[in-house]
Amino acid sequence: MKKVLGLLLAGAIILGAMNAQAADAKRLTLGTGGTSGVYYPLGGAIGQVLGSKSDGKYSVTAQSTGASGENMRLIDAGEVDIAIVQNDVADAAYNGTQPFKKKFEDVRAIGRLYPEYLHVVATKDSGIKNIEDFKGKKISVGARGSGNEINCRQIFDFYGLDYKNLQPIFSPYSETADQFKDRQLDGFVFTIGTPNPAIQDITTTQDVTFIPLQGEKTDAAVAKFPYLVKDAIPANTYKGQTEAVPTLSVQAILVVNKDMPEEDVYELTRTLYENTDAIAKSHNKGAEIKVNNAADGITIPFHPGAAKYLKEKGALK
C-alpha cells in the first residue's frame, strides 16, 4: 500500500511540475495560411517543435490565415507573434509597394524556410520551347493579384512578354490544372513548393515541357528583384522530368514583430534551425529548412535576435 501511495505521490508531483511548466510557458500564435495549403500543416509542425524543444519556455499555436499578405498585416499590428510569408510579399509590404498601400515597417525576418519554385510548364503539342514562345498563347498566370501573378508580371517583362501579346488566364492552381488537362491552356506558371500535387497529377496523364529560366535575362531579373533566387527544380520531381530544370525561386520565410524581445527571438531561431529533423518527421518541408540558407532571398531587416544566432552560425555576415 505504501508503495502504491508513493507512486501516486510521485506521479502527482511530476504532473504538477508539468502543469506548472505549461502555465509558465509564453504563449505565442503562429500565422500560417489556408488549411488546404502547405503553410498551415508546416506551421503546426514548427509550432509543436518550438514548444517541445524549448524546455517549456514557449507554447506555440498555429493559426489559419489568409497567408502571406494578411500575415504581414497581422504581424505589423501585433495580432500574431510569428508568421510564415513569401519573401517577395514581405519585401512589397515592408516597402509599401503594390499591392500594398502602406509600409509595414514593424516586421522583421527570422530566416528562410524553403524555396517556392517558379514552374513554367507548357503542353507538348503547343510547340513552346522557351518562355518567349508564350506570345499569342493561352497562359494561366494565377489568380489576379496573387503572389503567383505578381511573379509573372515581374519575369515576363525581361522576356518581352506582357498581357497584350499573350492571352492571360487568371485562374488559381486547382482550376488551372483542370483547364490544362482539358486542353484549354497552352501553359501556366506556378510559384509553389515541390512536389506540387496538381503538377504531379498532370504529368501522370500527359506529357509536358518544363521551360527553363536561365542566362542573362534571369541574371537581370535577380539584379532587379533580389528576393528572387537562381535555383533549379530537382531532377525526377515529376514524371518524365529526368533532368533538373533551371528556374527562379522565392522563399517561404518566418517573420516576427520588431518588438518581440531579442532573447525570445534568439531562442526561437536557435530552436528552429537546430531541430529541423524533428520538423521533418511531421512535414516533409522540414527537410528543406537549412541554417546555411537562412538568409537566402531575404530583403527585409532581420530581427536582432535572429541576426545574432545566424551570425554565430556563419549564415549572415
Side-chain angles (χ1 to χ4, degrees):
M1 186 68 177
K2 289 182 177 179
K3 185 176 181 180
V4 173
L5 289 173
L7 290 172
L8 289 173
L9 179 60
I13 292 171
I14 293 171
L15 183 61
M18 291 174 63
N19 288 338
Q21 188 179 56
D24 291 339
K26 184 173 289 188
R27 299 185 181 277
L28 304 173
T29 301
L30 196 163
T32 60
T35 56
S36 62
V38 172
Y39 286 7
Y40 181 72
L42 176 61
I46 290 173
Q48 183 179 30
V49 168
L50 291 178
S52 64
K53 300 293 185 178
S54 64
D55 296 326
K57 293 180 182 178
Y58 307 104
S59 174
V60 183
T61 302
Q63 176 178 311
S64 177
T65 69
S68 295
E70 182 181 355
N71 285 347
M72 288 296 289
R73 297 183 181 94
L74 292 172
I75 287 287
D76 189 76
E79 294 179 20
V80 298
D81 304 289
I82 319 168
I84 304 174
V85 302
Q86 199 169 293
N87 67 331
D88 56 330
V89 176
D91 183 275
Y94 183 82
N95 292 293
T97 58
Q98 289 295 327
F100 298 93
K101 296 181 179 179
K102 60 161 282 188
K103 294 182 179 182
F104 293 90
E105 297 179 299
D106 287 346
V107 182
R108 297 292 183 269
I110 282 183
R112 169 198 184 265
L113 297 175
Y114 67 91
E116 298 184 332
Y117 302 97
L118 273 72
H119 293 67
V120 185
V121 182
T123 62
K124 278 285 187 183
D125 55 12
S126 67
I128 296 172
K129 301 296 182 184
N130 52 63
I131 193 168
E132 289 91 342
D133 294 336
F134 274 3
K135 288 181 179 178
K137 304 294 187 179
K138 289 184 178 180
I139 306 298
S140 175
V141 296
R144 193 183 294 274
S146 65
N148 196 103
E149 196 232 333
I150 290 171
N151 291 150
C152 287
R153 288 178 179 270
Q154 290 166 343
I155 66 170
F156 281 180
D157 185 54
F158 292 94
Y159 295 92
L161 298 171
D162 58 37
Y163 290 171
K164 295 179 181 178
N165 60 21
L166 58 79
Q167 299 179 58
I169 307 298
F170 301 96
S171 296
Y173 297 139
S174 59
E175 290 181 19
T176 292
D178 290 339
Q179 292 169 342
F180 191 87
K181 288 187 291 185
D182 290 341
R183 314 293 183 179
Q184 298 175 23
L185 297 172
D186 297 303
F188 62 83
V189 180
F190 279 5
T191 301
I192 203 159
T194 58
N196 174 248
I199 300 177
Q200 285 180 311
D201 183 36
I202 288 170
T203 55
T204 60
T205 59
Q206 64 190 97
D207 293 331
V208 304
T209 300
F210 287 90
I211 308 300
L213 298 177
Q214 58 188 338
E216 293 181 0
K217 293 177 180 178
T218 301
D219 293 341
V222 173
K224 183 174 181 179
F225 304 111
Y227 45 76
L228 295 176
V229 174
K230 288 191 288 185
D231 219 320
I233 300 170
N236 300 309
T237 299
Y238 303 103
K239 183 179 178 181
Q241 180 239 327
T242 57
E243 297 181 356
V245 181
T247 189
L248 296 167
S249 68
V250 295
Q251 316 301 311
I253 68 174
L254 208 60
V255 298
V256 294
N257 190 284
K258 69 177 180 62
D259 293 332
M260 183 178 283
E262 181 174 335
E263 60 271 22
D264 285 333
V265 179
Y266 177 90
E267 188 61 24
L268 291 168
T269 307
R270 184 195 65 78
T271 304
L272 170 73
Y273 286 109
E274 294 184 4
N275 293 282
T276 56
D277 55 340
I279 298 171
K281 290 179 181 178
S282 297
H283 197 287
N284 64 344
K285 286 299 173 190
E288 299 182 45
I289 302 174
K290 308 287 186 183
V291 70
N292 291 341
N293 303 114
D296 288 1
I298 293 181
T299 55
I300 68 171
F302 281 88
H303 191 286
K308 179 181 178 182
Y309 177 78
L310 297 181
K311 286 177 181 177
E312 290 176 358
K313 293 298 179 180
L316 187 65
K317 295 181 179 179

